[in-house]
Amino acid sequence: MPQICHFSKIYVLESLPQNERHTGKLLWEDIDNVICYHNRPVKTELMQAMSRSDFLGCLARIQMAAEGGEYPILHIECHGADDQSGLILADGLSLTWAELKSFLTRINVATRCNLLVVMAACYGGNLGHLIVPTEKAPFWGFIGPTGEIYPNELLSTFNAFYGELLASLDGDISLEALSAKPLSSGGYYFASALHFFTVAYAGYLKEFCSELALDQRAGRISRELRKTGSQNRPGKGALRRWLKQTEAQSFYTYHREFFMLDLFPENASRFALSLHDINELKKTLK
């Protein structure tokens, strides 16, 4: 984990049926005790949402608090859908990853890209599949299990994670504590927004900006210009060179948007990345 993001409050947002073990509440109690023990200037709040509307209302409240200057860690405790499409809330209704992502993005913008999202739900790691480098980042960092996970596993592993995080404020050591005990299925997945962007953009360049891909794109543009009867029809070679020249500008445009450099110029140093870095990673992709 890169240097830990700035945070001033830990929200435990739980949406579990009444007749089930409320692992979110138990975790929140343990986190509160650890904060007191280490005398950390961090607040905590347990939010128990018994319906989809309650859950969305809690996310809206967290967004408002972030817009007021709060820097939250958002820990979500609920069930994951069997088809891995999103969350199942206490009332049995679903919330897709795409719906959740839109709320997270607004919260992350309010925190200047400092939001850490922790998914304590089966298949929670799938949220990361919706991250694309042409939109604003929905979080600074993200943790979630890759498979099914049981309540006792959630409680013990996240107790270890938050215990270490609040003791040392060291992200790497905290992730080691989280993963120290093997899960019955899969494991935990962590990625930062910087990692997501770098890998996704390298994949884009490999697929759409290879010599073959550029040649095909130049051919399509040339054919379209011919169909429209345009008098200004650059040759295929000139079109390929023009497409190649646009790579750098496109990269910096998307990098600026994803990390909100237009809104928060200080993020330029926090998320420093060059097209050279991307191209070096691209060489390693299969």
Side-chain angles (χ1 to χ4, degrees), residues 20 79 97 156 248 269:
E20 293 189 9
H79 289 299
W97 297 127
S156 63
S269 58

Side-chain angles (χ1 to χ4, degrees), residues 84 122-123 144-150 153 181-188:
Q84 304 183 31
C122 293
Y123 314 111
T146 60
E148 292 186 44
I149 190 165
Y150 295 99
E153 293 178 320
K181 184 178 179 181
L183 302 178
S184 56
S185 172
Y188 283 111

Side-chain angles (χ1 to χ4, degrees), residues 7-285:
F7 66 97
S8 60
K9 187 167 183 176
I10 300 173
Y11 285 96
V12 177
L13 175 50
E14 178 191 84
S15 188
L16 295 169
Q18 287 283 13
N19 61 346
E20 293 189 9
R21 188 182 185 195
H22 284 201
T23 48
K25 182 175 186 293
L26 295 171
L27 178 67
W28 168 74
E29 291 171 348
D30 290 334
I31 291 173
D32 209 40
N33 289 333
V34 173
I35 288 173
C36 292
Y37 179 80
H38 292 288
N39 195 28
R40 294 295 186 193
V42 178
K43 297 178 181 179
T44 62
E45 183 173 344
L46 172 67
M47 292 179 157
Q48 292 179 299
M50 299 312 298
S51 67
R52 177 186 157 95
S53 61
D54 287 347
F55 193 90
L56 297 180
C58 288
L59 291 174
R61 278 183 50 205
I62 293 170
Q63 179 186 337
M64 289 180 60
E67 290 169 348
E70 196 169 79
Y71 288 86
I73 288 178
L74 175 56
H75 179 103
I76 296 177
E77 194 98 9
C78 61
H79 289 299
D82 290 338
D83 63 2
Q84 304 183 31
S85 62
L87 303 176
I88 302 298
L89 305 177
D91 58 0
L93 296 180
S94 63
L95 183 73
T96 67
W97 297 127
E99 289 174 305
L100 177 60
K101 176 184 152 187
S102 66
F103 277 91
L104 298 181
T105 301
R106 292 194 288 273
I107 297 171
N108 196 39
V109 171
T111 66
R112 299 170 175 257
C113 201
N114 274 283
L115 177 64
L116 174 61
V117 179
V118 182
M119 293 296 309
C122 293
Y123 314 111
N126 286 317
L127 172 64
H129 294 166
L130 293 182
I131 311 309
V132 292
T134 55
E135 302 173 354
K136 285 183 171 58
F139 45 68
W140 165 87
F142 165 74
I143 299 170
T146 60
E148 292 186 44
I149 190 165
Y150 295 99
N152 63 313
E153 293 178 320
L154 287 171
L155 197 54
S156 63
T157 53
F158 280 119
N159 265 333
F161 171 76
Y162 287 110
E164 185 57 55
L165 180 64
L166 293 164
S168 66
L169 300 180
D170 187 306
D172 290 323
I173 297 176
S174 302
L175 283 175
E176 289 174 7
L178 178 69
S179 303
K181 184 178 179 181
L183 302 178
S184 56
S185 172
Y188 283 111
Y189 177 66
F190 166 79
S192 66
L194 186 61
H195 172 81
F196 272 116
F197 182 87
T198 304
V199 172
Y201 210 87
Y204 163 78
L205 290 182
K206 184 173 180 65
E207 182 174 357
F208 296 104
C209 297
S210 65
E211 292 304 316
L212 176 60
L214 288 174
D215 192 63
Q216 292 173 339
R217 289 166 64 191
R220 286 195 297 271
I221 293 172
S222 180
R223 289 190 295 273
E224 287 300 318
L225 290 173
R226 192 179 303 115
K227 287 180 182 178
T228 61
S230 172
Q231 297 301 308
N232 181 21
R233 294 203 301 269
K236 192 174 178 181
L239 287 169
R240 287 180 77 262
R241 289 191 293 274
W242 173 76
L243 288 170
K244 192 71 176 175
Q245 291 168 0
T246 63
E247 280 185 17
Q249 184 56 51
S250 296
F251 164 73
Y252 290 113
T253 297
Y254 293 134
H255 180 260
R256 181 179 177 83
E257 171 73 10
F258 191 80
F259 296 108
M260 312 164 210
L261 307 190
D262 52 336
L263 300 176
F264 315 115
E266 68 273 15
N267 282 357
S269 58
R270 295 179 60 216
F271 303 107
L273 188 64
S274 70
L275 187 57
H276 173 76
D277 298 329
I278 300 287
N279 280 315
E280 287 301 302
L281 177 61
K282 182 183 71 173
K283 296 175 184 177
T284 69
L285 299 179

